[in-house]
Amino acid sequence: MQTFILVEAINIVASVFDTDQLSVIRGSSLSLKEAIEHIKTKFDKKLEALSTGASSGLFRLIDHTADLTQIIESIKTELSENLYGCFVFLVESCEATDLLVAKEKLLTQLRFHQMRSITTVPDRVSNGRDFSNQPCGLEGRRIAANNTPTAVQGRTRQLSQSVFERLEYGRNRRQIHHFQEGDRQKRSILQKFRSSDDFESLAGNPQNPEHKKLNNKIAVVYIDGNLFSAIQRETLERAKQEEQEQMVKRQETQPDEEQQYGYLNQAQMDFDRTIQTKRSNFLLDTLCAMVEPESVQFPDAVYENDKKEKVIRFETLLWGGDEMLFVLPAWLGFEFLQYFFEQSSQWNADGERLTHSAGLVFCHAKSPIHRIRELAKSLADTMKNVLGNDRRGQNIWDFIVLESIDYPGNFDIADFYRMRFGHLAAHRPKFIRAPEDWNGLKPKLKELIGDELGGEPLLSRRQLYRIARTIQDDPEASGLECLSWRQLGDPDAMKKGTCSEQDRAEHRMIMLLEDDRRKRLIEIAPLQARGLFNLDLDCAPFRACFWFHLIELWDYLIPSPESVHS
């Protein structure tokens, strides 16, 4: 029998996103990750780390002379001190014949005790600070501590002890902090840069006039692994089966315990290391691409603050495990997501392809980040529920554009789509497959909606709005009986049979173009519709979805001076 210990932070959303202040969130997220690393280092002579994530660690007891109860109490003591004491951690242990059995036991125990645990940790009174009679100036629910007046975004606020400590830690860790390993030269480059103080600074006052239209708008990107737990379990089961077959070949009947169980623990560590290495290398490469002088792929990703520090417009709010959460300026959001899909397209573990579901939300920098995170996560969860196990092997994503600070918090995503798209919401695809060749699509997309040479784009935003109004005003406008896309390019198309109002509006838009530009539109539009959104322009409802997608994403797909054409 082996002894396993699981250390996991619970209810982390309530602890990390209890304010909208970037430094508090950064301090919280970093502390959770560092807590697990701290336990790994502190107990390295007694525990073997099998898996370590952003807020969870799985360990095996290797010191068989140690008192398990004493070790657990020591772990709890370590996690109650310093900044780690701001979070709720559970420590579970069990004995099992192998790792697969242990993981089931530990997860069951964790979920049982989670339902009986507090949601957030009450503030400690320390450093001579007593509670005041005022609520925290950022969080609003905790009691503010005396002697913690702190300048936050130009205002002095009285903060609770928990928020104050996390804020100070987040501010002190503004240096790019993700990397402890990887290419040394790349890491040294990033040490010259800092993170933003707040979301408004991250997305505000772009130097490039091309991005002024998106000033103070952010992109929130939530990415979750597709069935990583199932893939991991299958990897361990294969390792177990292979070892049993090898035992038969070696004619072993009673191997020693380390030989019997070590291979399974090693398979877990290899899987964990594979995921962490791939993600760390991706993030390292991405940030280095962003800080390149005159970066073409990620323009205006660096700015200089009042202290003459170079600041990168990028923030990691969750990192590790299956989930990742990033915030960027709105003009970088779409490019970043497609760059992630491109870079991760060849990821695999033990021969199994690793794919992801992503939710992308464009919104104002002052939007409540905890709500926007919920929305981005809901997009990913909705797609996973629709596809189930079919999402395996597919990179999928979806998006929402919020034009005001108001967040649709009193209804679900389906209700939001029905409100925005009316009867067309029933035809809107439930997910979008990641483009196979985003870099190949970009030049034609620029020609379609934002000519990089300074000329008029092939599509007019004003004409798309007219088509959208036609579709919304007439529920029958996008009926399945419709002309094909190429038929719409025929000048005499309206004379050859019954046409819907959508057909007429689209035909009118096409006929406004000169002959050569009309031919280019007929050729390019279907390739973009299929390549970007998996939509067939020969189907009227999907054609309508394409127009609606372009209207919503017009300013975000190819941010440029031409994006203001109407």
Side-chain angles (χ1 to χ4, degrees):
M1 298 289 282
Q2 300 178 96
T3 301
F4 297 90
I5 297 175
L6 176 65
V7 180
E8 184 160 326
I10 61 172
N11 305 326
I12 62 174
V13 173
S15 300
V16 175
F17 296 95
D18 55 348
T19 79
D20 292 318
Q21 216 293 321
L22 179 54
S23 293
V24 178
I25 298 172
R26 180 191 300 127
S28 303
S29 181
L30 281 173
S31 298
L32 283 172
K33 186 176 189 304
E34 290 169 1
I36 302 302
E37 294 298 324
H38 174 71
I39 297 301
K40 176 182 175 181
T41 303
K42 182 76 173 181
F43 296 89
D44 63 334
K45 298 293 190 294
K46 299 180 182 297
L47 302 177
E48 178 184 43
L50 303 180
S51 176
T52 56
S55 58
S56 178
L58 177 62
F59 304 90
R60 182 176 73 97
L61 182 66
I62 56 176
D63 183 356
H64 300 297
T65 64
D67 185 327
L68 177 62
T69 302
Q70 182 62 45
I71 289 179
I72 291 175
E73 289 304 313
S74 297
I75 292 174
K76 291 180 178 179
T77 299
E78 293 291 332
L79 293 175
S80 67
E81 297 178 346
N82 303 317
L83 201 56
Y84 309 144
C86 294
F87 310 100
V88 182
F89 283 92
L90 292 182
V91 182
E92 304 293 340
S93 67
C94 76
E95 289 190 346
T97 53
D98 62 44
L99 181 59
L100 285 166
V101 176
K103 292 176 77 171
E104 294 295 331
K105 285 186 175 181
L106 291 171
L107 183 60
T108 301
Q109 292 173 206
L110 181 80
R111 295 295 173 249
F112 176 76
H113 289 129
Q114 182 176 9
M115 299 298 292
R116 307 174 71 183
S117 300
I118 57 176
T119 301
T120 57
V121 178
D123 278 10
R124 304 183 305 272
V125 178
S126 61
N127 299 326
R129 296 188 178 97
D130 298 321
F131 291 123
S132 73
N133 59 356
Q134 298 294 321
C136 174
L138 282 178
E139 196 259 2
R141 293 171 295 181
R142 296 175 180 268
I143 301 175
N146 287 324
N147 304 318
T148 60
T150 307
V152 182
Q153 294 175 258
R155 290 177 52 193
T156 299
R157 306 170 192 256
Q158 200 77 14
L159 304 179
S160 66
Q161 184 71 22
S162 171
V163 171
F164 175 78
E165 291 180 6
R166 289 179 283 146
L167 173 71
E168 290 297 299
Y169 189 66
R171 284 177 169 175
N172 292 334
R173 296 298 302 274
R174 287 181 57 243
Q175 192 172 28
I176 299 301
H177 49 257
H178 305 287
F179 310 106
Q180 296 159 343
E181 55 186 32
D183 188 284
R184 181 176 298 179
Q185 183 176 0
K186 292 180 179 179
R187 283 188 290 148
S188 66
I189 291 173
L190 293 178
Q191 293 303 312
K192 304 173 185 177
F193 295 86
R194 300 293 183 268
S195 299
S196 299
D197 286 321
D198 48 64
F199 294 115
E200 290 86 345
S201 300
L202 180 144
N205 302 313
Q207 299 299 311
N208 193 328
E210 297 181 359
H211 308 136
K212 292 295 185 182
K213 190 176 181 66
L214 299 178
N215 185 40
N216 284 324
K217 290 188 177 182
I218 60 175
V220 178
V221 185
Y222 174 87
I223 302 175
D224 192 18
N226 284 333
L227 300 170
F228 276 23
S229 295
I231 294 172
Q232 183 181 113
R233 184 175 61 253
E234 291 167 5
T235 297
L236 297 181
E237 288 173 346
R238 282 196 297 271
K240 185 175 182 178
Q241 179 65 31
E242 290 170 3
E243 179 61 21
Q244 289 174 343
E245 292 173 357
Q246 290 299 319
M247 286 172 56
V248 172
K249 291 181 180 179
R250 295 192 301 262
Q251 298 182 341
E252 294 178 356
T253 56
Q254 291 183 331
D256 63 73
E257 187 173 287
E258 289 299 320
Q259 179 181 346
Q260 184 177 2
Y261 302 127
Y263 69 91
L264 206 53
N265 298 333
Q266 187 62 49
Q268 172 67 60
M269 289 188 285
D270 290 344
F271 186 92
D272 193 58
R273 190 179 302 111
T274 295
I275 301 295
Q276 292 186 8
T277 300
K278 290 181 183 300
R279 288 186 169 177
S280 293
N281 288 341
F282 159 74
L283 196 54
L284 184 64
D285 291 342
T286 301
L287 291 174
C288 286
M290 287 183 172
V291 302
E292 285 182 1
E294 306 299 326
S295 174
V296 175
Q297 188 157 31
F298 299 107
D300 206 7
V302 174
Y303 69 94
E304 191 174 86
N305 64 14
D306 295 338
K307 300 177 183 178
K308 304 302 181 182
E309 297 173 320
K310 291 184 178 180
V311 182
I312 186 167
R313 299 181 187 269
F314 183 89
E315 194 66 40
T316 306
L317 302 188
L318 285 179
W319 178 251
D322 287 359
E323 299 175 292
M324 297 176 282
L325 185 68
F326 308 102
V327 179
L328 308 88
W331 64 85
L332 297 178
F334 193 85
E335 179 70 40
F336 169 78
L337 179 58
Q338 304 313 323
Y339 180 76
F340 171 79
F341 283 139
E342 179 185 67
Q343 295 298 307
S344 65
S345 61
Q346 301 302 316
W347 288 6
N348 68 83
D350 196 33
E352 181 78 26
R353 188 183 179 203
L354 301 173
T355 60
H356 300 80
S357 299
L360 172 61
V361 179
F362 294 104
C363 61
H364 195 278
K366 290 185 179 294
S367 299
I369 191 63
H370 63 291
R371 292 289 185 88
I372 301 303
R373 176 230 165 239
E374 289 176 3
L375 181 56
K377 184 177 186 302
S378 293
L379 285 171
D381 290 344
T382 299
M383 292 184 291
K384 290 190 291 185
N385 290 336
V386 168
L387 282 172
N389 289 334
D390 290 340
R391 70 184 186 275
R392 193 166 189 152
Q394 297 190 71
N395 283 318
I396 56 177
W397 68 285
D398 202 353
F399 70 94
I400 279 182
V401 179
L402 300 179
E403 299 296 349
S404 69
I405 296 178
D406 294 334
Y407 166 77
N410 59 340
F411 47 78
D412 62 18
I413 292 175
D415 290 333
F416 178 74
Y417 286 149
R418 282 191 289 270
M419 181 189 73
R420 174 161 290 192
F421 303 116
H423 61 90
L424 187 64
H427 299 288
R428 189 185 188 280
K430 305 300 183 185
F431 64 93
I432 305 171
R433 290 187 181 88
E436 294 183 0
D437 183 17
W438 165 236
N439 288 324
L441 289 169
K442 276 193 290 187
K444 301 299 183 185
L445 182 60
K446 290 180 179 180
E447 188 176 353
L448 190 68
I449 67 171
D451 195 328
E452 61 181 337
L453 299 179
E456 291 285 339
L458 293 174
L459 286 176
S460 160
R461 198 173 190 178
R462 179 180 299 167
Q463 291 296 329
L464 293 186
Y465 273 119
R466 288 175 178 170
I467 294 173
R469 283 194 295 270
T470 298
I471 294 170
Q472 287 187 320
D473 292 343
D474 181 7
E476 304 300 325
S478 58
L480 293 177
E481 295 296 329
C482 64
L483 297 179
S484 70
W485 173 245
R486 292 200 171 273
Q487 286 175 324
L488 289 171
D490 183 351
D492 298 323
M494 297 299 100
K495 303 176 183 179
K496 297 181 178 180
T498 303
C499 300
S500 69
E501 290 302 314
Q502 178 181 338
D503 286 337
R504 295 183 185 279
E506 292 165 340
H507 178 75
R508 187 162 47 247
M509 176 186 71
I510 295 171
M511 290 302 109
L512 288 173
L513 297 174
E514 299 171 356
D515 286 347
D516 58 334
R517 287 167 58 78
R518 186 187 311 156
K519 291 177 182 178
R520 292 295 295 157
L521 176 61
I522 294 297
E523 174 188 349
I524 290 174
L527 300 178
Q528 293 294 319
R530 187 173 295 279
L532 283 174
F533 307 116
N534 322 122
L535 295 171
D536 182 359
L537 290 196
D538 285 334
C539 173
F542 289 165
R543 213 157 57 220
C545 288
F546 183 50
W547 308 138
F548 276 69
H549 284 351
L550 288 183
I551 290 171
E552 287 196 290
L553 293 172
W554 189 280
D555 293 320
Y556 305 96
L557 288 170
I558 306 289
S560 67
E562 288 70 42
S563 69
V564 300
H565 281 309
S566 60

